[in-house]
Amino acid sequence: MSQYQNDLILRMINGEKTERYPVWLMRQAGRILPEYRAVRASLSGFKELVETPERAAEVTIQPVDLLGVDAAIIFSDILVVPEAMGLPYQMIEAKGPWFENTIKSEADVSMISADIDVADRLGYVIDAIKVTKKELNGRVPLIGFCGAPWTIFCYMTEGQGSKTFSKPKRLLFQDPQMAHKVLDMITDVTIKYLKLQIEAGADIVQIFDSWSGILGPKEYSEFGTKYVRRICDAITEVPVTVFAKGAYYARKELGELSCQTIGLDWNMDIAESRALVGPNKTLQGNLDPCVLYADFKTIEEKTKNLLNSFGNQRHIANLGHGVYPDTDPEKVKCFIETVKGFATN
Ligand code: CP3
């Protein structure tokens, strides 16, 4: 007997034949839900929510109860890692993350450290996972996560969101040695962090490489995949998902990683991705989040087209990136219900 009431996503990842495709959404815990906004409004801000395990657990479970997804994802942020390493962040309302201190040159590398007690610095995430596991009580598996080293390097150097991320990219060409040093440090901390998440109860871990799309194949191979590979090789306890947004050019290389699942964004054709990745991995994605702005009939139609393209192979239904905050939760439910009503054969 499985320890879960619903272990569909784990069975799919293991390559078992399942009755339907599992479904969850990136960024499912968050601003689309009025129930999330109510919890958030009762606190001083995003960081307090992330750092208060009971409240983080509460918003992690909301989409399981309210949307009926097949997995929960722990409510946290990828930016807790740079903070733990020495670069604190702020989450500015309606603007996004902001780092007071950033790495601009070799001299700034002394601001960060990989020699930290991860269990202590990120204890609030580990506690949130433990509380969530207890409260989920086996309803669905829990996904843990981290940012990929390249994406974390982007925030450590740019200090905020950007269209071009020219600061991290500039460093790759000006001082590749320094970039490797920092990427290496992030990788060390990330491996420890993921192992702690798994010990606390994470059933799957997902690596978000949100900014892989700004590099080209050569640079991504050297500064991106290299470190993602190290993480995949180190994490043998639970299945790993790699979501490298925009890295359509690297799908073959990503398919050779020792991870179980590859996340696809909406730029990536399913059949073409399957051909590049091969039959032995699960693919996850990739409905354009903007489809959820359409009417219910269109959402249903486009979701079915996507499900048909899966061709009874190993797939997890998801969006091609996080759900946008101004999406109607009823439209999200339409996507989820359409997936749940679609039988594999
Ligand atoms: O439901 C879930 O997916 C779990 C929670 C989660 C958050 N962030 C909460 C969050 C996850 C998995 C993330 C990952 C994350 N954070 C990524 C990778 C995924 C991606 O979107 O590419 C990145 C790049 C970040 C960094 C980050 N955090 C940005 C750029 C922003 C601001 C823009 C935005 O999307 O809101 C955040 C803030 C953030 N992280 C919010 C949430 C719910 C919004 C904060 C709020 O409530 O106001």
Side-chain angles (χ1 to χ4, degrees):
M1 260 293 280
S2 168
Q3 55 173 310
Y4 299 98
Q5 285 151 46
N6 172 356
D7 65 354
L8 183 67
I9 192 168
L10 294 173
R11 286 187 281 128
M12 178 60 85
I13 292 172
N14 286 335
E16 289 173 38
K17 191 148 176 46
T18 62
E19 55 283 13
R20 63 171 176 87
Y21 296 108
V23 58
W24 69 280
L25 276 79
M26 290 184 276
R27 301 296 193 97
Q28 65 191 14
R31 293 162 298 173
I32 56 161
L33 296 173
E35 293 81 355
Y36 165 85
R37 291 197 297 268
V39 173
R40 170 93 155 63
S42 74
L43 301 168
S44 64
F46 175 76
K47 281 189 86 170
E48 189 184 353
L49 180 49
V50 163
E51 290 164 13
T52 310
E54 290 71 25
R55 306 316 298 274
E58 186 182 347
V59 298
T60 299
I61 297 171
Q62 281 176 348
V64 177
D65 291 334
L66 300 166
L67 302 173
V69 285
D70 293 309
I73 178 160
I74 190 66
F75 188 83
S76 185
D77 203 273
I78 62 168
L79 303 177
V80 301
V81 166
E83 180 162 86
M85 293 177 73
L87 300 177
Y89 72 95
Q90 288 176 43
M91 195 58 77
I92 298 173
E93 196 66 46
K95 274 199 77 183
W98 191 74
F99 289 79
E100 164 119 44
N101 300 311
T102 56
I103 296 175
K104 295 173 209 68
S105 68
E106 172 78 37
D108 297 326
V109 179
S110 63
M111 288 195 288
I112 59 166
S113 172
D115 192 18
I116 53 167
D117 183 347
V118 183
D120 177 55
R121 298 239 176 140
L122 295 174
Y124 57 87
V125 183
I126 306 311
D127 289 344
I129 291 176
K130 289 180 186 160
V131 177
T132 303
K133 282 296 280 190
K134 194 157 161 262
E135 291 179 0
L136 269 177
N137 197 20
R139 267 176 286 169
V140 290
L142 177 64
I143 303 169
F145 71 90
C146 65
W150 161 247
T151 288
I152 298 300
F153 181 81
C154 283
Y155 286 103
M156 282 182 162
T157 53
E158 190 81 39
Q160 58 187 323
S162 162
K163 281 204 175 77
T164 58
F165 280 97
S166 59
K167 290 183 177 114
K169 281 185 81 172
R170 163 209 289 252
L171 289 168
L172 299 188
F173 297 107
Q174 280 184 339
D175 196 349
Q177 230 183 328
M178 181 274 258
H180 278 302
K181 186 166 148 188
V182 173
L183 289 163
D184 211 51
M185 291 166 79
I186 299 167
T187 305
D188 286 346
V189 172
T190 299
I191 290 170
K192 285 186 200 147
Y193 179 46
L194 289 179
K195 288 198 180 261
L196 288 164
Q197 292 189 37
I198 295 162
E199 252 176 61
D203 300 287
I204 298 164
V205 292
Q206 175 154 330
I207 305 170
F208 286 93
D209 215 348
S210 304
W211 303 116
S212 42
I214 61 162
L215 296 180
K218 254 193 133 82
E219 280 71 36
Y220 190 62
S221 186
E222 184 183 349
F223 298 99
T225 324
K226 178 179 172 190
Y227 297 95
V228 173
R229 182 179 298 113
R230 245 183 71 201
I231 299 171
C232 291
D233 290 346
I235 303 298
T236 52
E237 301 87 343
V238 301
V240 177
T241 302
V242 174
F243 174 55
K245 186 172 180 294
Y248 59 89
Y249 56 78
R251 281 175 290 178
K252 194 164 187 307
E253 191 173 76
L254 293 168
E256 288 158 6
L257 293 172
S258 64
C259 64
Q260 285 69 18
T261 304
I262 299 287
L264 305 176
D265 70 44
W266 66 86
N267 283 275
M268 302 171 184
D269 177 72
I270 296 289
E272 188 184 68
S273 303
R274 178 57 76 189
L276 287 164
V277 168
N280 298 323
K281 284 201 191 326
T282 303
L283 299 180
Q284 176 174 278
N286 69 347
L287 192 78
D288 189 324
C290 290
V291 169
L292 301 185
Y293 293 127
D295 56 71
F296 291 103
K297 194 168 158 282
T298 307
I299 295 171
E300 207 178 306
E301 205 177 279
K302 297 220 177 271
T303 303
K304 282 184 181 162
N305 288 344
L306 175 69
L307 296 165
N308 278 316
S309 77
F310 291 171
N312 288 310
Q313 295 188 75
R314 294 167 64 174
H315 281 271
I316 298 166
N318 204 314
L319 302 181
H321 196 195
V323 60
Y324 296 133
D326 59 349
T327 308
D328 176 356
E330 292 305 318
K331 301 286 175 75
V332 174
K333 276 191 217 164
C334 176
F335 168 64
I336 293 168
E337 290 306 319
T338 305
V339 176
K340 290 170 108 174
F342 186 97
T344 50
N345 53 52

